[in-house]
Amino acid sequence: MDSALTGNWSVFRSALTHIVLPALVLSSPSLAAVTRMMRADMLDTGVPGVCHQCAGLRLPERLIVAKYVLKNALIPTITLIGLRYGWMLGGTVLVETVSTAAGIGLYAVQSSVASDFMPVMAVTLVIGLNFALANLIVDLLYGVLDPRVRYG
């Protein structure tokens, strides 16, 4: 981010090329599960009479999928994304250690090897707060996707 903010685009490009492989390693298992869940939910949600009624009104298929089917299918998928986010946060420790990418996971490993427990506790706290914030965002998205969800 520092290179993008200062306008050093060659360093920014280099950083992006070095982050591609660790990002793929972290996201591939979650992407497979999320894709399967989204597909199953789209097939289940697309069956009710609302979609048939919309098709009978000759609404465009993209509108039917985007406004009715996708919105209802996203609710369980977003829940899965929130849960998988926690697994990916934990996976950063292993991926950053193997790829020697500088990040919070490698910092946690180096601190624990050096028996410096304050940084390990700080990393645990940061990852825990990040996961809690992600789940809060998931809960707030429920209300955006389904107006019948009430917070009280």
Side-chain angles (χ1 to χ4, degrees):
M1 289 302 294
D2 296 340
S3 58
L5 292 175
T6 59
N8 194 350
W9 300 112
S10 61
V11 174
F12 183 70
R13 240 176 286 129
S14 174
L16 282 181
T17 58
H18 285 89
I19 203 170
V20 169
L21 187 60
L24 283 174
V25 168
L26 279 173
S27 65
S28 293
S30 296
L31 184 63
V34 168
T35 304
R36 285 189 58 91
M37 175 81 125
M38 187 68 183
R39 179 185 179 276
D41 288 336
M42 288 287 284
L43 290 175
D44 287 345
T45 308
V47 174
V50 173
C51 296
H52 295 298
Q53 182 181 4
C54 292
L57 293 173
R58 299 187 188 265
L59 293 176
E61 186 177 345
R62 285 186 181 186
L63 179 69
I64 295 170
V65 169
K67 191 170 182 180
Y68 300 106
V69 178
L70 183 66
K71 205 170 184 182
N72 291 328
L74 273 177
I75 293 172
T77 306
I78 285 180
T79 303
L80 181 67
I81 290 171
L83 292 173
R84 291 291 181 146
Y85 182 73
W87 285 99
M88 287 193 302
L89 284 175
T92 59
V93 174
L94 178 65
V95 171
E96 288 178 5
T97 302
V98 170
S99 66
T100 63
I104 196 166
L106 184 63
Y107 180 64
V109 170
Q110 289 173 345
S111 298
S112 63
V113 167
S115 296
D116 193 6
F117 294 111
M118 292 302 265
V120 173
M121 288 189 294
V123 167
T124 305
L125 183 66
V126 166
I127 288 176
L129 287 174
N130 202 342
F131 183 59
L133 182 65
N135 280 314
L136 175 67
I137 291 170
V138 165
D139 287 343
L140 292 175
L141 281 175
Y142 288 155
V144 171
L145 292 173
D146 190 1
R148 295 174 296 175
V149 175
R150 300 277 184 234
Y151 300 108

mmCIF file of all heavy atoms in Angstrom, residues 24-62:
data_model
loop_
_atom_site.group_PDB
_atom_site.id
_atom_site.type_symbol
_atom_site.label_atom_id
_atom_site.label_comp_id
_atom_site.label_asym_id
_atom_site.label_seq_id
_atom_site.Cartn_x
_atom_site.Cartn_y
_atom_site.Cartn_z
ATOM 1 N N LEU A 24 -3.548 -17.216 -3.787
ATOM 2 C CA LEU A 24 -4.190 -18.372 -4.403
ATOM 3 C C LEU A 24 -4.212 -19.577 -3.473
ATOM 4 O O LEU A 24 -5.205 -20.300 -3.400
ATOM 5 C CB LEU A 24 -3.487 -18.735 -5.713
ATOM 6 C CG LEU A 24 -3.806 -17.866 -6.906
ATOM 7 C CD1 LEU A 24 -2.938 -18.245 -8.100
ATOM 8 C CD2 LEU A 24 -5.262 -17.969 -7.272
ATOM 9 N N VAL A 25 -3.112 -19.786 -2.756
ATOM 10 C CA VAL A 25 -3.044 -20.918 -1.819
ATOM 11 C C VAL A 25 -4.072 -20.752 -0.705
ATOM 12 O O VAL A 25 -4.735 -21.712 -0.306
ATOM 13 C CB VAL A 25 -1.611 -21.055 -1.245
ATOM 14 C CG1 VAL A 25 -1.570 -22.002 -0.071
ATOM 15 C CG2 VAL A 25 -0.656 -21.509 -2.330
ATOM 16 N N LEU A 26 -4.227 -19.543 -0.198
ATOM 17 C CA LEU A 26 -5.189 -19.311 0.878
ATOM 18 C C LEU A 26 -6.637 -19.378 0.408
ATOM 19 O O LEU A 26 -7.509 -19.856 1.122
ATOM 20 C CB LEU A 26 -4.938 -17.947 1.522
ATOM 21 C CG LEU A 26 -3.836 -17.881 2.552
ATOM 22 C CD1 LEU A 26 -3.596 -16.435 2.962
ATOM 23 C CD2 LEU A 26 -4.166 -18.711 3.763
ATOM 24 N N SER A 27 -6.900 -18.910 -0.794
ATOM 25 C CA SER A 27 -8.289 -18.779 -1.222
ATOM 26 C C SER A 27 -8.843 -19.987 -1.970
ATOM 27 O O SER A 27 -10.063 -20.134 -2.062
ATOM 28 C CB SER A 27 -8.448 -17.538 -2.096
ATOM 29 O OG SER A 27 -7.707 -17.688 -3.294
ATOM 30 N N SER A 28 -8.008 -20.848 -2.514
ATOM 31 C CA SER A 28 -8.502 -21.962 -3.333
ATOM 32 C C SER A 28 -9.460 -22.897 -2.604
ATOM 33 O O SER A 28 -10.531 -23.193 -3.132
ATOM 34 C CB SER A 28 -7.334 -22.749 -3.915
ATOM 35 O OG SER A 28 -6.638 -21.965 -4.826
ATOM 36 N N PRO A 29 -9.130 -23.406 -1.415
ATOM 37 C CA PRO A 29 -10.099 -24.294 -0.756
ATOM 38 C C PRO A 29 -11.414 -23.594 -0.415
ATOM 39 O O PRO A 29 -12.493 -24.172 -0.584
ATOM 40 C CB PRO A 29 -9.380 -24.730 0.523
ATOM 41 C CG PRO A 29 -7.951 -24.440 0.306
ATOM 42 C CD PRO A 29 -7.890 -23.307 -0.660
ATOM 43 N N SER A 30 -11.341 -22.369 0.014
ATOM 44 C CA SER A 30 -12.559 -21.634 0.351
ATOM 45 C C SER A 30 -13.364 -21.298 -0.895
ATOM 46 O O SER A 30 -14.593 -21.342 -0.870
ATOM 47 C CB SER A 30 -12.211 -20.346 1.093
ATOM 48 O OG SER A 30 -11.598 -20.657 2.316
ATOM 49 N N LEU A 31 -12.677 -20.997 -1.973
ATOM 50 C CA LEU A 31 -13.371 -20.662 -3.211
ATOM 51 C C LEU A 31 -14.169 -21.842 -3.733
ATOM 52 O O LEU A 31 -15.300 -21.678 -4.209
ATOM 53 C CB LEU A 31 -12.367 -20.194 -4.263
ATOM 54 C CG LEU A 31 -12.931 -19.708 -5.580
ATOM 55 C CD1 LEU A 31 -13.794 -18.473 -5.354
ATOM 56 C CD2 LEU A 31 -11.821 -19.393 -6.549
ATOM 57 N N ALA A 32 -13.612 -23.040 -3.603
ATOM 58 C CA ALA A 32 -14.333 -24.231 -4.051
ATOM 59 C C ALA A 32 -15.608 -24.436 -3.242
ATOM 60 O O ALA A 32 -16.676 -24.704 -3.798
ATOM 61 C CB ALA A 32 -13.427 -25.455 -3.945
ATOM 62 N N ALA A 33 -15.513 -24.313 -1.919
ATOM 63 C CA ALA A 33 -16.683 -24.511 -1.060
ATOM 64 C C ALA A 33 -17.740 -23.427 -1.290
ATOM 65 O O ALA A 33 -18.943 -23.725 -1.353
ATOM 66 C CB ALA A 33 -16.260 -24.534 0.401
ATOM 67 N N VAL A 34 -17.307 -22.200 -1.428
ATOM 68 C CA VAL A 34 -18.248 -21.096 -1.638
ATOM 69 C C VAL A 34 -18.941 -21.236 -2.999
ATOM 70 O O VAL A 34 -20.154 -21.008 -3.111
ATOM 71 C CB VAL A 34 -17.527 -19.735 -1.513
ATOM 72 C CG1 VAL A 34 -18.400 -18.598 -2.005
ATOM 73 C CG2 VAL A 34 -17.116 -19.497 -0.070
ATOM 74 N N THR A 35 -18.202 -21.651 -4.011
ATOM 75 C CA THR A 35 -18.791 -21.827 -5.336
ATOM 76 C C THR A 35 -19.843 -22.929 -5.336
ATOM 77 O O THR A 35 -20.929 -22.776 -5.901
ATOM 78 C CB THR A 35 -17.691 -22.140 -6.366
ATOM 79 O OG1 THR A 35 -16.723 -21.093 -6.335
ATOM 80 C CG2 THR A 35 -18.258 -22.248 -7.752
ATOM 81 N N ARG A 36 -19.544 -24.051 -4.679
ATOM 82 C CA ARG A 36 -20.511 -25.150 -4.610
ATOM 83 C C ARG A 36 -21.758 -24.734 -3.828
ATOM 84 O O ARG A 36 -22.878 -25.067 -4.204
ATOM 85 C CB ARG A 36 -19.872 -26.378 -3.973
ATOM 86 C CG ARG A 36 -18.926 -27.100 -4.896
ATOM 87 C CD ARG A 36 -18.483 -28.410 -4.310
ATOM 88 N NE ARG A 36 -19.587 -29.293 -4.016
ATOM 89 C CZ ARG A 36 -20.077 -30.187 -4.865
ATOM 90 N NH1 ARG A 36 -19.572 -30.286 -6.070
ATOM 91 N NH2 ARG A 36 -21.075 -30.976 -4.510
ATOM 92 N N MET A 37 -21.561 -24.021 -2.740
ATOM 93 C CA MET A 37 -22.695 -23.572 -1.934
ATOM 94 C C MET A 37 -23.551 -22.583 -2.720
ATOM 95 O O MET A 37 -24.782 -22.672 -2.696
ATOM 96 C CB MET A 37 -22.194 -22.913 -0.648
ATOM 97 C CG MET A 37 -23.276 -22.320 0.194
ATOM 98 S SD MET A 37 -24.053 -23.562 1.150
ATOM 99 C CE MET A 37 -23.877 -22.912 2.751
ATOM 100 N N MET A 38 -22.912 -21.673 -3.438
ATOM 101 C CA MET A 38 -23.651 -20.675 -4.215
ATOM 102 C C MET A 38 -24.450 -21.348 -5.330
ATOM 103 O O MET A 38 -25.611 -21.001 -5.568
ATOM 104 C CB MET A 38 -22.670 -19.655 -4.794
ATOM 105 C CG MET A 38 -23.332 -18.510 -5.456
ATOM 106 S SD MET A 38 -24.180 -17.528 -4.221
ATOM 107 C CE MET A 38 -24.937 -16.328 -5.245
ATOM 108 N N ARG A 39 -23.839 -22.318 -5.981
ATOM 109 C CA ARG A 39 -24.533 -23.036 -7.052
ATOM 110 C C ARG A 39 -25.754 -23.769 -6.506
ATOM 111 O O ARG A 39 -26.846 -23.690 -7.076
ATOM 112 C CB ARG A 39 -23.588 -24.031 -7.715
ATOM 113 C CG ARG A 39 -24.251 -24.821 -8.824
ATOM 114 C CD ARG A 39 -23.312 -25.892 -9.380
ATOM 115 N NE ARG A 39 -23.961 -26.652 -10.408
ATOM 116 C CZ ARG A 39 -24.764 -27.692 -10.194
ATOM 117 N NH1 ARG A 39 -25.019 -28.088 -8.964
ATOM 118 N NH2 ARG A 39 -25.315 -28.340 -11.195
ATOM 119 N N ALA A 40 -25.580 -24.473 -5.390
ATOM 120 C CA ALA A 40 -26.702 -25.218 -4.806
ATOM 121 C C ALA A 40 -27.819 -24.272 -4.365
ATOM 122 O O ALA A 40 -29.001 -24.553 -4.582
ATOM 123 C CB ALA A 40 -26.217 -26.050 -3.632
ATOM 124 N N ASP A 41 -27.457 -23.154 -3.764
ATOM 125 C CA ASP A 41 -28.469 -22.199 -3.315
ATOM 126 C C ASP A 41 -29.175 -21.520 -4.492
ATOM 127 O O ASP A 41 -30.372 -21.239 -4.418
ATOM 128 C CB ASP A 41 -27.846 -21.148 -2.405
ATOM 129 C CG ASP A 41 -27.472 -21.722 -1.051
ATOM 130 O OD1 ASP A 41 -28.087 -22.738 -0.652
ATOM 131 O OD2 ASP A 41 -26.566 -21.167 -0.402
ATOM 132 N N MET A 42 -28.442 -21.261 -5.564
ATOM 133 C CA MET A 42 -29.076 -20.671 -6.750
ATOM 134 C C MET A 42 -30.080 -21.644 -7.355
ATOM 135 O O MET A 42 -31.167 -21.239 -7.772
ATOM 136 C CB MET A 42 -28.021 -20.300 -7.794
ATOM 137 C CG MET A 42 -27.175 -19.114 -7.430
ATOM 138 S SD MET A 42 -28.029 -17.553 -7.534
ATOM 139 C CE MET A 42 -28.076 -17.306 -9.281
ATOM 140 N N LEU A 43 -29.745 -22.927 -7.388
ATOM 141 C CA LEU A 43 -30.674 -23.921 -7.939
ATOM 142 C C LEU A 43 -31.896 -24.092 -7.039
ATOM 143 O O LEU A 43 -33.011 -24.248 -7.522
ATOM 144 C CB LEU A 43 -29.965 -25.257 -8.133
ATOM 145 C CG LEU A 43 -28.916 -25.290 -9.247
ATOM 146 C CD1 LEU A 43 -28.194 -26.618 -9.258
ATOM 147 C CD2 LEU A 43 -29.552 -25.003 -10.589
ATOM 148 N N ASP A 44 -31.695 -24.063 -5.717
ATOM 149 C CA ASP A 44 -32.816 -24.207 -4.783
ATOM 150 C C ASP A 44 -33.719 -22.979 -4.803
ATOM 151 O O ASP A 44 -34.937 -23.087 -4.710
ATOM 152 C CB ASP A 44 -32.308 -24.445 -3.366
ATOM 153 C CG ASP A 44 -31.734 -25.830 -3.175
ATOM 154 O OD1 ASP A 44 -31.988 -26.695 -4.041
ATOM 155 O OD2 ASP A 44 -31.025 -26.047 -2.173
ATOM 156 N N THR A 45 -33.123 -21.795 -4.887
ATOM 157 C CA THR A 45 -33.894 -20.560 -4.824
ATOM 158 C C THR A 45 -34.612 -20.281 -6.135
ATOM 159 O O THR A 45 -35.667 -19.654 -6.144
ATOM 160 C CB THR A 45 -32.969 -19.372 -4.480
ATOM 161 O OG1 THR A 45 -32.233 -19.709 -3.321
ATOM 162 C CG2 THR A 45 -33.742 -18.118 -4.227
ATOM 163 N N GLY A 46 -34.080 -20.745 -7.238
ATOM 164 C CA GLY A 46 -34.658 -20.436 -8.538
ATOM 165 C C GLY A 46 -35.931 -21.184 -8.853
ATOM 166 O O GLY A 46 -36.598 -20.890 -9.826
ATOM 167 N N VAL A 47 -36.335 -22.148 -8.026
ATOM 168 C CA VAL A 47 -37.476 -23.003 -8.321
ATOM 169 C C VAL A 47 -38.832 -22.382 -7.965
ATOM 170 O O VAL A 47 -39.798 -22.597 -8.675
ATOM 171 C CB VAL A 47 -37.296 -24.373 -7.622
ATOM 172 C CG1 VAL A 47 -38.514 -25.248 -7.783
ATOM 173 C CG2 VAL A 47 -36.063 -25.057 -8.158
ATOM 174 N N PRO A 48 -38.960 -21.599 -6.889
ATOM 175 C CA PRO A 48 -40.304 -21.161 -6.464
ATOM 176 C C PRO A 48 -41.074 -20.392 -7.536
ATOM 177 O O PRO A 48 -40.538 -19.957 -8.540
ATOM 178 C CB PRO A 48 -40.024 -20.250 -5.266
ATOM 179 C CG PRO A 48 -38.709 -20.650 -4.770
ATOM 180 C CD PRO A 48 -37.944 -21.135 -5.958
ATOM 181 N N GLY A 49 -42.376 -20.221 -7.258
ATOM 182 C CA GLY A 49 -43.287 -19.607 -8.211
ATOM 183 C C GLY A 49 -42.982 -18.163 -8.551
ATOM 184 O O GLY A 49 -43.440 -17.674 -9.578
ATOM 185 N N VAL A 50 -42.226 -17.476 -7.709
ATOM 186 C CA VAL A 50 -41.916 -16.074 -7.995
ATOM 187 C C VAL A 50 -41.140 -15.963 -9.292
ATOM 188 O O VAL A 50 -41.420 -15.102 -10.131
ATOM 189 C CB VAL A 50 -41.116 -15.454 -6.821
ATOM 190 C CG1 VAL A 50 -40.644 -14.062 -7.165
ATOM 191 C CG2 VAL A 50 -41.946 -15.443 -5.567
ATOM 192 N N CYS A 51 -40.167 -16.853 -9.475
ATOM 193 C CA CYS A 51 -39.361 -16.799 -10.700
ATOM 194 C C CYS A 51 -40.194 -17.152 -11.916
ATOM 195 O O CYS A 51 -40.025 -16.567 -12.984
ATOM 196 C CB CYS A 51 -38.160 -17.735 -10.587
ATOM 197 S SG CYS A 51 -37.045 -17.222 -9.292
ATOM 198 N N HIS A 52 -41.109 -18.093 -11.766
ATOM 199 C CA HIS A 52 -41.983 -18.451 -12.882
ATOM 200 C C HIS A 52 -42.926 -17.295 -13.213
ATOM 201 O O HIS A 52 -43.210 -17.020 -14.381
ATOM 202 C CB HIS A 52 -42.788 -19.709 -12.556
ATOM 203 C CG HIS A 52 -41.942 -20.920 -12.393
ATOM 204 N ND1 HIS A 52 -41.167 -21.437 -13.408
ATOM 205 C CD2 HIS A 52 -41.733 -21.723 -11.320
ATOM 206 C CE1 HIS A 52 -40.524 -22.503 -12.976
ATOM 207 N NE2 HIS A 52 -40.845 -22.696 -11.707
ATOM 208 N N GLN A 53 -43.390 -16.600 -12.179
ATOM 209 C CA GLN A 53 -44.264 -15.461 -12.401
ATOM 210 C C GLN A 53 -43.494 -14.336 -13.102
ATOM 211 O O GLN A 53 -44.015 -13.701 -14.012
ATOM 212 C CB GLN A 53 -44.832 -14.962 -11.082
ATOM 213 C CG GLN A 53 -45.790 -13.802 -11.237
ATOM 214 C CD GLN A 53 -46.309 -13.328 -9.896
ATOM 215 O OE1 GLN A 53 -45.896 -13.806 -8.848
ATOM 216 N NE2 GLN A 53 -47.215 -12.370 -9.941
ATOM 217 N N CYS A 54 -42.251 -14.111 -12.673
ATOM 218 C CA CYS A 54 -41.434 -13.076 -13.312
ATOM 219 C C CYS A 54 -41.158 -13.427 -14.765
ATOM 220 O O CYS A 54 -41.166 -12.553 -15.638
ATOM 221 C CB CYS A 54 -40.120 -12.902 -12.565
ATOM 222 S SG CYS A 54 -40.301 -12.206 -10.935
ATOM 223 N N ALA A 55 -40.914 -14.702 -15.030
ATOM 224 C CA ALA A 55 -40.683 -15.121 -16.411
ATOM 225 C C ALA A 55 -41.963 -14.964 -17.225
ATOM 226 O O ALA A 55 -41.913 -14.621 -18.414
ATOM 227 C CB ALA A 55 -40.196 -16.562 -16.442
ATOM 228 N N GLY A 56 -43.106 -15.201 -16.592
ATOM 229 C CA GLY A 56 -44.382 -15.021 -17.274
ATOM 230 C C GLY A 56 -44.648 -13.560 -17.602
ATOM 231 O O GLY A 56 -45.338 -13.251 -18.565
ATOM 232 N N LEU A 57 -44.120 -12.660 -16.795
ATOM 233 C CA LEU A 57 -44.258 -11.230 -17.060
ATOM 234 C C LEU A 57 -43.241 -10.746 -18.091
ATOM 235 O O LEU A 57 -43.167 -9.555 -18.366
ATOM 236 C CB LEU A 57 -44.086 -10.445 -15.755
ATOM 237 C CG LEU A 57 -45.179 -10.649 -14.707
ATOM 238 C CD1 LEU A 57 -44.801 -9.961 -13.407
ATOM 239 C CD2 LEU A 57 -46.502 -10.126 -15.228
ATOM 240 N N ARG A 58 -42.436 -11.665 -18.604
ATOM 241 C CA ARG A 58 -41.423 -11.396 -19.620
ATOM 242 C C ARG A 58 -40.349 -10.426 -19.136
ATOM 243 O O ARG A 58 -39.879 -9.564 -19.882
ATOM 244 C CB ARG A 58 -42.053 -10.908 -20.912
ATOM 245 C CG ARG A 58 -42.991 -11.911 -21.524
ATOM 246 C CD ARG A 58 -43.461 -11.449 -22.884
ATOM 247 N NE ARG A 58 -44.505 -12.313 -23.391
ATOM 248 C CZ ARG A 58 -44.282 -13.335 -24.199
ATOM 249 N NH1 ARG A 58 -43.059 -13.633 -24.554
ATOM 250 N NH2 ARG A 58 -45.289 -14.066 -24.633
ATOM 251 N N LEU A 59 -39.985 -10.553 -17.865
ATOM 252 C CA LEU A 59 -38.857 -9.780 -17.358
ATOM 253 C C LEU A 59 -37.573 -10.410 -17.868
ATOM 254 O O LEU A 59 -37.496 -11.623 -18.050
ATOM 255 C CB LEU A 59 -38.862 -9.780 -15.828
ATOM 256 C CG LEU A 59 -40.012 -9.042 -15.155
ATOM 257 C CD1 LEU A 59 -39.937 -9.223 -13.649
ATOM 258 C CD2 LEU A 59 -39.984 -7.575 -15.504
ATOM 259 N N PRO A 60 -36.544 -9.611 -18.077
ATOM 260 C CA PRO A 60 -35.278 -10.175 -18.550
ATOM 261 C C PRO A 60 -34.701 -11.165 -17.529
ATOM 262 O O PRO A 60 -34.830 -10.981 -16.310
ATOM 263 C CB PRO A 60 -34.363 -8.961 -18.692
ATOM 264 C CG PRO A 60 -35.258 -7.784 -18.718
ATOM 265 C CD PRO A 60 -36.504 -8.159 -17.996
ATOM 266 N N GLU A 61 -34.075 -12.210 -18.040
ATOM 267 C CA GLU A 61 -33.531 -13.252 -17.163
ATOM 268 C C GLU A 61 -32.476 -12.700 -16.206
ATOM 269 O O GLU A 61 -32.408 -13.098 -15.050
ATOM 270 C CB GLU A 61 -32.935 -14.382 -18.001
ATOM 271 C CG GLU A 61 -32.474 -15.558 -17.171
ATOM 272 C CD GLU A 61 -31.957 -16.705 -18.008
ATOM 273 O OE1 GLU A 61 -32.209 -16.715 -19.226
ATOM 274 O OE2 GLU A 61 -31.299 -17.578 -17.449
ATOM 275 N N ARG A 62 -31.672 -11.759 -16.684
ATOM 276 C CA ARG A 62 -30.647 -11.155 -15.809
ATOM 277 C C ARG A 62 -31.287 -10.441 -14.625
ATOM 278 O O ARG A 62 -30.792 -10.485 -13.514
ATOM 279 C CB ARG A 62 -29.785 -10.186 -16.591
ATOM 280 C CG ARG A 62 -28.805 -10.859 -17.495
ATOM 281 C CD ARG A 62 -27.892 -9.856 -18.118
ATOM 282 N NE ARG A 62 -26.968 -10.534 -19.013
ATOM 283 C CZ ARG A 62 -25.970 -9.948 -19.613
ATOM 284 N NH1 ARG A 62 -25.768 -8.659 -19.430
ATOM 285 N NH2 ARG A 62 -25.179 -10.623 -20.402
#
